[in-house]
Amino acid sequence: MDSKISSIRSRVLASKIPLFLGLLVAILLVPQLAFADVYVPLHEYLGYFDSNGIYTVVGNVKNTNDFGIVPTITVSVIDDSKTISKIINHVPLGPGKEIPFKIKFPELLSNTPVLVNPEIIFQKAITHDIPIEILYDKTLVKHSDGHITGRIQNTGDQTIFYPKIYAVVHGYENVLDITQNIEYIEKIEPGEILAFSMYPDPAITEDVFYYSCFAPVDTTVIPVTAKKNDGDFDFRYDSGAWYSAAKFDETGTILSIKGYNSYPLETYANFEFPPISGNEKFSVTLNDEPIEFIQSIDEMGFWHVAFQVGPTSQGTLKISGFDKGLPPEMPKIPQWIKTNANWWITNQISDSEFLEGLDFLFEKQIVSVPERDVINESQWNIPSWVKNPTGWWYEEKISDDDYLNIIENLVKRKIIVI
C-alpha cells in the first residue's frame, strides 16, 4: 500500500468533543450584529465562485470574551427566490482568539447569489491554547503564484497530534479566501519545527497580496447528515478537500458523496462513521474506480475510512459496505474503559492504569470540570473505596450518567487527583 496512505492512522476526530456528546454547557444565543463579543466581521465575510464553479463562502469568527466558546455559524444564500442555509459547527475557540471558516454551495443554480449576513450561537466551553506558533522569519514566503510556505513550531511540552493551520487570504483591499495547510501532519513533538504550505483557490491566485490571522487548531471536522433507511445517519470527515451532497442508495448500504479538491497538490480525507453492527467491511471508489484506503476503528468505537485525494480533482466518492438500518445509541463511556474498570476492581491492573481511562474521559470532555490542575502521572491518586461505585457501574446497577456525575464530583473535591 502507498506509504503516504499508510501514514494515515486511526484517529479520534473529536479530540475535544465526541461526536455523540455535546459539551456539558449552556447554549448562549447571540445575534451576530447585536453584540461584539462573538462575531464575524462583515469585511471578512464574502462569497465567490471557485475554480470548479462552486459558490464558496468564507469568513472569520472572532471571540472577544474572556472565556472559551464553541461557535455555530449559520450561513445563508439567496438563490433566485430560494434561501439555502447551512450550519457550521466549528472547533473550540479560546478567549481573544479568531478562527476562519469556509463552506461551499454546489447546489446553487443562479449566477448572482445574494449572501445573507451570518448568524452565530455559541456554547461556553473550557478551551486550551494550542502551543503552535508561526515562525515569522525569512522562511515565511509568499510566492509568485499566490501560495505561501512557512514553518510552525510546537512551543509546548506535549506532542500535538493532527495539527492544522488556517489563514485569511487578502487582496489589496479586500479578503479573497480562507485557506489551510495542504499537508497532512500526523504530529509535532515539543520543540519540533515543521514546514507547511497553503494554496488559495486557483480562481483568485493572481489577486493575492498577503496572508493574516494564522490560526492553529488540533481538530477540524465537518458534520454531515444523510438520509438512510427512513432515518438520519450522522457522520463526519476531516480533509483538505470539500465533500457535499451525501446520500445513501435505497438499500442503505452504499454512501455516495461529491468531492472537490481545488488545490494543485495532493491532500487527504478521513471519514468517521458510527458503527451499526461493528462488523462492517468497507470498499471505496472514486468515479466508479477503486481507490486504496485504510479502514480502522478508534478508541470511541467509530469507524474511520482514510485515503489520499489527488490534486485539482473532483468526482463522486462511493463508500459501500454499510449494514442496513441505523446505528444504535452509542454508550457515553467507551467499552474499553468499562473493561479496565472490571480489571481494576479485581486487582488485575494498577490504579494509574485505571486512571488513564478516566483521564481520557476528561481529555475528550465526556466529563468536564471547570479547572483541573496539570500534574505529573506519579501524583495521580484514587482511593480504594471508589471501587464500590465503579463496581455498581460495571454491573449496570447505576447508569453511565450516574457514574460520570460521581467521577466529576470526586475530581472537583480533589478526592480523585488526576
Side-chain angles (χ1 to χ4, degrees):
M1 183 174 291
D2 189 282
S3 60
K4 292 182 179 178
I5 299 176
S6 298
S7 70
I8 301 179
R9 299 175 182 173
S10 170
R11 64 182 285 199
V12 180
L13 290 176
S15 64
K16 297 297 179 189
I17 306 176
L19 175 64
F20 58 87
L21 185 65
L23 290 173
L24 305 178
V25 289
I27 295 179
L28 306 176
L29 301 181
V30 184
Q32 189 266 335
L33 297 178
F35 301 98
D37 47 5
V38 180
Y39 66 103
V40 176
L42 296 185
H43 70 280
E44 296 182 355
Y45 180 67
L46 74 151
Y48 68 91
F49 286 95
D50 71 10
S51 57
N52 291 322
I54 306 298
Y55 189 69
T56 303
V57 177
V58 299
N60 192 31
V61 180
K62 296 181 182 289
N63 176 25
T64 61
N65 290 301
D66 59 1
F67 52 80
I69 64 165
V70 177
T72 298
I73 310 108
T74 299
V75 177
S76 299
V77 177
I78 300 174
D79 184 33
D80 290 331
S81 59
K82 181 182 179 181
T83 299
I84 302 174
S85 297
K86 295 191 176 184
I87 295 175
I88 303 170
N89 299 299
H90 222 316
V91 299
L93 181 58
K97 303 294 184 179
E98 56 190 328
I99 184 72
F101 64 86
K102 176 186 288 190
I103 193 165
K104 293 181 181 287
F105 289 79
E107 59 273 79
L108 260 63
L109 302 176
S110 170
N111 292 323
T112 56
V114 177
L115 181 60
V116 179
N117 288 343
E119 298 176 3
I120 297 180
I121 61 173
F122 63 84
Q123 294 176 306
K124 188 175 180 181
I126 301 167
T127 60
H128 304 280
D129 285 341
I130 309 302
I132 293 178
E133 291 186 3
I134 307 297
L135 299 184
Y136 290 94
D137 55 25
K138 63 182 181 181
T139 63
L140 188 63
V141 179
K142 184 184 79 68
H143 299 266
S144 58
D145 64 355
H147 88 278
I148 193 171
T149 55
R151 299 186 303 164
I152 57 174
Q153 182 175 21
N154 180 352
T155 58
D157 57 4
Q158 294 185 346
T159 302
I160 300 173
F161 292 90
Y162 317 110
K164 188 172 289 185
I165 312 297
Y166 279 100
V168 177
V169 185
H170 296 260
Y172 280 96
E173 297 181 348
N174 60 313
V175 170
L176 299 176
D177 196 9
I178 302 298
T179 188
Q180 66 187 50
N181 60 293
I182 197 70
E183 305 87 356
Y184 174 79
I185 303 175
E186 182 182 9
K187 62 182 179 179
I188 180 169
E189 302 287 355
E192 185 177 8
I193 296 175
L194 294 177
F196 72 90
S197 58
M198 293 181 172
Y199 282 77
D201 188 273
I204 51 92
T205 294
E206 296 181 359
D207 299 321
V208 175
F209 184 34
Y210 69 97
Y211 290 71
S212 73
C213 306
F214 289 95
V217 298
D218 63 352
T219 175
T220 51
V221 294
I222 298 176
V224 182
T225 299
K227 293 295 181 182
K228 183 181 190 296
N229 297 132
D230 299 321
D232 290 336
F233 183 83
D234 298 319
F235 65 96
R236 309 192 307 174
Y237 74 87
D238 176 27
S239 179
W242 178 261
Y243 293 89
S244 66
K247 63 179 181 180
F248 279 90
D249 67 347
E250 292 182 357
T251 68
T253 61
I254 301 175
L255 172 69
S256 63
I257 189 168
K258 294 181 179 178
Y260 312 87
N261 177 20
S262 301
Y263 301 108
L265 291 176
E266 186 177 67
T267 186
Y268 67 94
N270 189 350
F271 284 78
E272 176 193 88
F273 302 116
I276 297 174
S277 69
N279 298 314
E280 293 88 344
K281 184 174 177 58
F282 299 110
S283 60
V284 184
T285 63
L286 178 62
N287 296 328
D288 295 324
E289 294 293 328
I291 63 173
E292 293 187 45
F293 69 98
I294 289 177
Q295 177 178 339
S296 59
I297 196 164
D298 67 28
E299 298 141 296
M300 301 300 295
F302 288 85
W303 287 117
H304 290 260
V305 173
F307 50 88
Q308 296 296 128
V309 181
T312 57
S313 62
Q314 59 179 306
T316 299
L317 183 76
K318 289 184 180 179
I319 302 177
S320 58
F322 291 91
D323 290 330
K324 293 181 179 180
L326 296 169
E329 183 177 353
M330 295 288 287
K332 289 185 177 180
I333 305 177
Q335 180 58 46
W336 64 268
I337 294 182
K338 204 162 194 175
T339 301
N340 279 4
N342 182 46
W343 291 344
W344 179 59
I345 294 166
T346 55
N347 300 316
Q348 297 181 57
I349 62 173
S350 66
D351 289 359
S352 61
E353 288 174 303
F354 176 63
L355 285 171
E356 286 179 2
L358 296 189
D359 190 51
F360 176 87
L361 298 178
F362 284 96
E363 287 181 358
K364 306 308 175 188
Q365 294 198 7
I366 296 172
V367 60
S368 180
V369 172
E371 290 187 10
R372 242 187 352 138
D373 296 332
V374 178
I375 62 172
N376 190 284
E377 287 187 23
S378 62
Q379 297 175 283
W380 286 2
N381 180 59
I382 184 169
S384 60
W385 59 261
V386 178
K387 290 183 178 181
N388 291 329
T390 301
W392 301 335
W393 168 60
Y394 179 78
E395 295 170 1
E396 298 185 353
K397 294 178 180 177
I398 60 175
S399 67
D400 284 1
D401 284 333
D402 291 335
Y403 188 63
L404 291 173
N405 288 335
I406 291 171
I407 296 301
E408 179 179 343
N409 180 266
L410 294 177
V411 171
K412 282 181 179 178
R413 294 163 56 195
K414 297 187 178 181
I415 295 172
I416 293 178
V417 179
I418 187 174

